């Protein structure tokens, strides 16, 4: 039982007659040929316009032309590319794999092509899932780093502006200068409020919620 749904397929080859035969096979499998091309410049534009689910590239006499077709398809739309070979060509397959070829079949029959499409789409979905996971993890790591930097900057600013102000207020009080001590204390409190307000605003702007900051602070092993 096939797992493949109706797909939008782009096909490319250097020869129109083979392109016509390939289109018949694809449509016979129940898929839609949304674009077909024999030129490199044309395939780039068609790929960008149609955004196919999968692309099939036939390897004809000109191996460089086929490589260029694969390159342009991969560059314009991140969709899996399957090569249709009419004979074994390991060097070409290796070169094509380096630029994004997902699979290939030799002298492909309809059932073999369908199997290649099924396997390729599963592999493609796995790669996309892994990529999304890595991107999500990278974003989380960046947020964690931003949070740590914000806390460090806040600590330094509190020390430089607030702790020193409290020390000055305490010293003035010990010297019997109550008015000077009170003024220094009031100024220090205002400075502390400003530091905290700006720090919270910067955290929110970077996507870090206040509850995250509180949770991180209360669970910090250094505070244990």
């Amino acid at each position: 039982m096939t797992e493949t749904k109706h797909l939008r397929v782009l096909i490319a080859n250097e020869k129109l007659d083979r392109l016509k035969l390939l289109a018949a096979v694809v449509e016979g499998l129940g898929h839609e040929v949304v674009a077909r091309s024999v030129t490199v410049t044309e395939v780039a534009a068609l790929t960008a316009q149609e955004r196919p689910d999968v692309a099939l590239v036939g390897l004809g006499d000109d191996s460089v032309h086929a490589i260029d077709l694969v390159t342009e398809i991969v560059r314009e739309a991140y969709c899996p590319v399957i090569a249709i070979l009419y004979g074994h060509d390991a060097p070409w397959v290796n070169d094509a794999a380096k630029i994004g070829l997902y699979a290939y079949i030799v002298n492909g029959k309809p059932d073999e092509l369908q199997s290649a499409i099924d396997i390729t789409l599963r592999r493609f979905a796995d790669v996309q899932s892994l990529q999304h996971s890595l991107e999500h993890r990278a974003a989380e790591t960046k947020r964690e780093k931003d949070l740590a930097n914000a806390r460090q900057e806040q600590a330094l600013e509190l020390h430089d502006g607030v702790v020193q102000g409290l020390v000055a207020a305490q010293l003035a009080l010990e010297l019997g200068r109550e008015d000077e001590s009170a003024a220094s204390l009031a100024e220090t409190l205002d400075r502390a409020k400003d530091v905290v307000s700006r720090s919270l605003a910067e955290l929110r702007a970077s996507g870090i919620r206040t509850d995250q900051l509180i949770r991180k602070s209360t669970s910090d092993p250094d505070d244990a």
Side-chain angles (χ1 to χ4, degrees):
M1 181 177 63
T2 180
E3 299 177 9
T4 303
K5 59 182 181 180
H6 173 84
L7 299 172
R8 302 175 68 257
V9 183
L10 178 147
I11 59 176
N13 200 310
E14 65 178 283
K15 296 183 178 180
L16 287 172
D17 56 342
R18 287 185 175 178
L19 202 59
K20 184 177 180 180
L21 291 173
L22 181 56
V25 172
V26 172
E27 292 169 349
L29 291 171
H31 306 305
E32 177 187 5
V33 176
V34 295
R36 59 184 76 188
S37 176
V38 294
T39 66
V40 174
T41 54
E42 183 183 48
V43 81
L46 288 173
T47 304
Q49 175 183 335
E50 297 296 339
R51 297 293 177 181
D53 298 314
V54 64
L56 306 177
V57 174
L59 173 60
D61 298 329
D62 189 344
S63 60
V64 175
H65 182 270
I67 283 288
D68 290 341
L69 288 174
V70 174
T71 300
E72 291 301 321
I73 294 171
V74 172
R75 178 181 300 154
E76 292 298 335
Y78 190 56
C79 72
V81 181
I82 301 173
I84 312 297
L85 279 63
Y86 301 96
H88 290 281
D89 192 335
W92 186 91
V93 171
N94 289 334
D95 290 341
K98 294 176 183 178
I99 58 175
L101 182 71
Y102 260 74
Y104 74 95
I105 59 174
V106 180
N107 294 323
K109 298 177 181 179
D111 57 339
E112 294 176 344
L113 177 58
Q114 186 62 66
S115 296
I117 291 175
D118 290 338
I119 295 172
T120 298
L121 290 178
R122 284 199 294 270
R123 288 179 56 200
F124 184 67
D126 290 342
V127 170
Q128 283 191 312
S129 177
L130 176 59
Q131 183 178 5
H132 291 159
S133 296
L134 292 175
E135 290 173 352
H136 177 73
R137 181 54 187 163
E140 287 294 321
T141 300
K142 183 179 185 302
R143 279 194 290 270
E144 293 290 336
K145 184 177 180 180
D146 290 342
L147 175 59
N149 290 339
R151 290 175 59 196
Q152 183 178 20
E153 292 175 2
Q154 183 184 37
L156 291 173
E157 192 167 2
L158 285 171
H159 178 271
D160 293 341
V162 177
V163 175
Q164 291 181 13
L166 292 174
V167 171
Q170 181 181 10
L171 181 59
L173 183 62
E174 291 174 352
L175 294 175
R177 303 171 184 170
E178 288 82 0
D179 292 343
E180 182 179 337
S181 176
S184 180
L185 181 59
E187 181 182 351
T188 301
L189 288 174
D190 288 340
R191 187 177 298 127
K193 292 177 182 178
D194 180 63
V195 170
V196 173
S197 295
R198 283 189 289 104
S199 296
L200 290 177
E202 291 170 359
L203 288 171
R204 293 190 190 100
S206 64
I208 299 173
R209 303 189 307 272
T210 304
D211 62 320
Q212 287 179 297
L213 178 63
I214 295 173
R215 184 167 62 252
K216 285 291 183 180
S217 298
T218 56
S219 63
D220 195 327
D222 293 336
D223 296 337

